[in-house]
Amino acid sequence: MMFDQAKTDDPPFDHGRLLDVLARADAVRLTALAETLLPLLDAVEVVQSRTGLVMLPMRDTVQGTDFHLGEVLVAEAHLRATGCEGYGMVLGRDLERAMAMAVVDAATACLGQTPAISAFLHSEAAAQAAADTACLQAIEATRVDMETF
């Protein structure tokens, strides 16, 4: 499925939201988008492509203190293209997906949010919101009200 046009009334994503959506995007669709954008970028240079562990910070809600819950395996990619930089980090060890994310990030930095990029972002954000809602509804169905005991 290709994403050719976004609705004209959809606002552009800020950089933080863009990276959030790309990090959770479907790998096949993300890679397909990146492959269509790659020819539009000149002199692509891979700065870094690696897997590694990062600490997962959490906050104790009672005492309000931060602590590290553990480590998470991530794949990370950093590239330069046409004077712009792109970055991608995804959970797991999928370097191809991280690189695709970095290509889309670099293309957005160089070209702006083109109609194809914007349509992809809005489509993925809607799918992610629907998945999050379904997950929260499933969790809510298991909630126990202790007052009824």
Side-chain angles (χ1 to χ4, degrees):
M1 175 195 278
M2 290 307 295
F3 305 95
D4 295 323
Q5 292 188 351
K7 290 187 254 173
T8 56
D9 58 344
D10 288 336
F13 285 71
D14 64 31
H15 192 242
R17 178 78 173 120
L18 175 133
L19 292 177
D20 181 45
V21 171
L22 291 177
R24 295 181 57 202
D26 177 76
V28 173
R29 290 192 297 264
L30 179 62
T31 303
L33 175 65
E35 293 201 10
T36 65
L37 297 172
L38 204 50
L40 304 175
L41 301 173
D42 295 329
V44 176
E45 170 195 355
V46 176
V47 176
Q48 191 170 57
S49 178
R50 65 182 178 176
T51 59
L53 297 172
V54 295
M55 297 299 289
L56 178 62
M58 295 295 286
R59 177 171 285 273
D60 180 350
T61 57
V62 176
Q63 296 180 358
T65 58
D66 292 330
F67 67 97
H68 293 289
L69 185 62
E71 296 175 328
V72 178
L73 178 65
V74 296
E76 178 182 33
H78 180 202
L79 59 86
R80 285 191 193 99
T82 320
C84 302
E85 296 202 11
Y87 182 77
M89 180 185 283
V90 296
L91 291 175
R93 61 176 67 229
D94 191 349
L95 287 170
E96 182 179 353
R97 187 167 152 225
M99 190 61 70
M101 182 179 167
V103 168
V104 175
D105 185 38
T108 303
C110 290
L111 309 170
Q113 289 184 23
T114 66
I117 294 171
S118 183
F120 176 83
L121 291 172
H122 285 92
S123 174
E124 287 296 316
Q128 291 168 11
D132 290 347
T133 299
C135 180
L136 290 174
Q137 288 173 341
I139 291 169
E140 183 63 30
T142 66
R143 187 178 302 248
V144 176
D145 184 7
M146 298 308 281
E147 297 294 322
T148 60
F149 284 119

